[in-house]
Amino acid sequence: MLYTTEKEKMLAGMPYDAWEPELLAERMRAKSLCARFNMADPTDLDGRMAILRDLLLFKDTAHMEPNFFCDYGYNIEIGSNFYANHNLTIIDACNVTIGDNVLIAPHVMISTSTHPIDPVERQKTEYGAPVTIGNNVWIGGNVSILPGVTIGDNCVIGAGSVVNKDIPANNVAVGNPCRVIRTLS
């Protein structure tokens, strides 16, 4: 398939120019909505979540604490009964799919974006790979989930982990790099 726009390239995980005007405008829209959410009255739970419903795709019940940051929003799909504690950042150049009954602790970063190793190319382009988080997953505080990772159903990711490879379903995984330390029965 021939990708003609920078957005098409981005969504396909190909190298793209993130400063192209259409993508820049879409990021500014997302950042504006994130700022509104982050500054909204903390007692107005429904009003705060309504702001995010203009940005993200939620199945139904979801709750997020401020602060929340993302690049585009439209690449983020969140399942039922989702909860994210303070300071979730999702860099969503590619799809981020989060299953049902997922709990995310404070200060978690999920990134689909990365940059070329070559310093000249790095100045002009970036690229990405999708992230998938299964159902019934608990992600501990200060976890970083890197591009292209899939975390299977029923997993627990320990606090401070850097997830740079897939974690199969039904496991507890921790560390930097994150690795399975126990299988759940």
Side-chain angles (χ1 to χ4, degrees):
M1 173 176 229
L2 180 63
Y3 301 103
T4 58
T5 69
E6 296 304 307
K7 183 174 181 175
E8 289 173 338
K9 292 175 192 175
M10 177 186 79
L11 295 173
M14 307 290 293
Y16 69 97
D17 176 5
W19 293 101
E20 179 272 335
E22 178 186 13
L23 292 177
L24 180 60
E26 289 178 348
R27 278 197 315 279
M28 293 305 104
R29 176 188 180 275
K31 290 181 187 319
S32 178
L33 287 168
C34 287
R36 282 184 44 216
F37 169 79
N38 293 335
M39 297 301 293
D41 180 349
T43 64
D44 183 10
L45 302 179
D46 292 337
R48 278 193 354 225
M49 291 308 295
I51 295 167
L52 290 184
R53 289 188 189 287
D54 284 343
L55 183 62
L56 312 174
L57 178 59
F58 290 105
K59 240 186 202 175
D60 53 43
T61 55
H63 180 81
M64 295 174 75
E65 298 290 347
N67 288 324
F68 170 70
F69 303 97
C70 69
D71 273 355
Y72 299 98
Y74 54 73
N75 290 324
I76 303 169
E77 182 178 349
I78 296 173
S80 299
N81 302 316
F82 174 80
Y83 176 80
N85 213 316
H86 296 282
N87 297 316
L88 172 62
T89 299
I90 302 178
I91 308 301
D92 62 313
C94 292
N95 289 339
V96 175
T97 305
I98 300 173
D100 298 335
N101 307 309
V102 172
L103 302 174
I104 297 181
H107 305 286
V108 169
M109 186 274 304
I110 301 168
S111 179
T112 65
S113 294
T114 190
H115 298 274
I117 293 173
D118 180 86
V120 174
E121 286 301 310
R122 190 168 47 237
Q123 293 174 23
K124 297 183 277 185
T125 62
E126 60 185 61
Y127 61 96
V131 170
T132 302
I133 298 170
N135 298 315
N136 306 305
V137 172
W138 175 25
I139 298 171
N142 294 304
V143 166
S144 295
I145 300 171
L146 303 183
V149 166
T150 295
I151 298 173
D153 292 345
N154 308 312
C155 284
V156 175
I157 306 298
S161 296
V162 177
V163 187
N164 64 348
K165 293 184 178 155
D166 292 352
I167 305 297
N170 304 306
N171 284 293
V172 176
V174 300
N176 180 5
C178 190
R179 67 188 191 294
V180 173
I181 61 165
R182 184 173 135 204
T183 299
L184 303 171
S185 54

